[in-house]
Amino acid sequence: MSIRNSILDIILQHDSSQVAIVYGNKSWTYTELSERCLWWKEHLTNKVSQGEIVVCDFESDPFEYTCKFIGVVSAGGIHLSTRDRYTTWSRLQRLGTPWSAITSLSDAGVLTEFSSLRTAINKHDGNIFLKNELPESSLYSSGRILETSGSTGEPKWVYWTEYNLIQDRKSWINDLSLNSQDSILNLHALDFAHGIDVHVLPALFIGITVVHHNIRSDDVTDIINSISKHNVTMMSALPSHYTYLAINSTDPNLGNNVRWALTGGALLSPVTISLIQNKAGLKLKRLYGATEAGIMCADLEKDNQSIPTLWPMNGIEMKVRPLKAVSNKFPNIGEPYFKRTHMASLYWGDEVRTESTFGDGWYKTGDAVSINDDGSIAVLGRAEDVWFDNTTQKLQSAGEISSAISEIHGINEVAVFPPSTPSAKPTIFCTIDPQISISTLNEYITEKLDQLFIEATIFLGNDWPRTIVGKPARRALLAWTTE
């Protein structure tokens, strides 16, 4: 497979009659995709300077989102999708960087708050194009900014050049041996890396179909039907999504053609993994964990993801530096650093974080891992999620506690917060099976914690506040403890 110099070049070479994107009862061929991408490129080429950020309102329509993204990049811009236009525009104003916006906003009163935006706006095809009046100069290449909160909830803008993004996805395609016979199912929002990087771009680079769903608990039947109808061979989802699929599936052969059922985040319990395999025929493989190390590592060898071990992907170097807080007593615990030829370049607008994270050519994760005898790593959580318990004289970690509690039948997901002070207890949140009594689950959890010599504050519930990608909203969870 040949991958050329631009994303638009890639899609223009494919079979024009092949279906590129499916969304509900709609579908678009590569001809329709190419024409719309070219429309956006033509519309933007004389409006966007090379390396200029173009802020786009988030939209759930995968066809228009993808075409706008490719059109912006093809015109030389840097695509930035956001769900909070005002916050993003204000931040760019403060940074003093050239930028434009494609928006549905038509409230002129709001626009007066952004004095550098031209009052003469251009409107095309239902979209309003806004242009700032800052000097048109750039040191950057076309590409995209990925807006992410990571595990902390603090907004970060990760900058990828178009070239590095293409090469990175080329490696990903080779790692999974994806080919023209595959069909990809996307269950992730498009403004996060899972949606674009794991699903949409690999499909478009190969010239195959990507089937998009906005994951909701009430459309699981449609997702199940899509797996069969479109002969899906690769998908990735959060652990909770697979649990929904298993609960609603009545066909144990549903996933027989799925070569790659990928997941990340918290480990699922062995009982839940068996349920997913027995009821939906899906054998899970682990990657893209809840922390930064999961971006560079995966476990693609196991039939299921029940063992908490990860290895660096092909072409990735790893080194583990001692974790200062515990290195004297636990030399096998450290923080992983990664290096690869093609990766993100910087945190846009944040020189301090960029220098500390990318400054020496290695990507500093901020995670804590234990090194296994075979050279693999087990992610314990963020570095601040590992602590030395002065009472028990033992190392404790959010990851170990989460893995232990996940083994309990009736526990669906686990989130662990370390003690806020040396004398405090860790806090544990769990989503549970409502058919099992809370008192029974509390008893089982207490037994597990006793085995780990841990006392903790425990909160159980049917669900919890979530981020847009389905992860626990950690700040909101902690707020519950103070109510």
Side-chain angles (χ1 to χ4, degrees), residues 77 80 131 146 149 198 209 218 246 275-276 316 351 382 404 409 413 431 442 471:
L80 169 54
K131 180 77 171 180
L146 177 65
S149 62
V198 177
T209 302
D218 60 355
L275 177 70
I276 292 168
I316 295 176
E351 294 182 2
R382 301 296 287 167
H409 176 56
E413 298 170 278
T431 62
N442 260 319
K471 294 179 181 179

Side-chain angles (χ1 to χ4, degrees), residues 93-115:
Q93 290 287 89
R94 293 194 302 272
L95 291 175
T97 185
W99 64 280
S100 301
I102 302 172
T103 179
S104 60
L105 178 67
S106 58
D107 185 349
V110 174
L111 294 179
T112 60
E113 299 177 20
F114 300 92
S115 57

Side-chain angles (χ1 to χ4, degrees), residues 175-176 260 262 285-287 298-302 311 313:
D175 286 341
L176 270 63
W260 298 106
L262 305 170
K285 295 179 174 63
R286 183 170 174 76
L287 81 165
D299 181 1
L300 303 179
E301 302 299 324
K302 308 293 183 183
W311 288 263
M313 302 282 280

Side-chain angles (χ1 to χ4, degrees), residues 6-33:
S6 78
I7 297 174
L8 184 56
D9 283 341
I10 295 168
I11 67 170
L12 289 174
Q13 68 180 304
H14 295 318
D15 179 358
S16 60
S17 63
Q18 168 71 30
V19 173
I21 298 174
V22 174
Y23 181 46
N25 58 3
K26 298 179 181 179
S27 64
W28 297 267
T29 65
Y30 275 91
T31 292
E32 294 169 308
L33 180 73

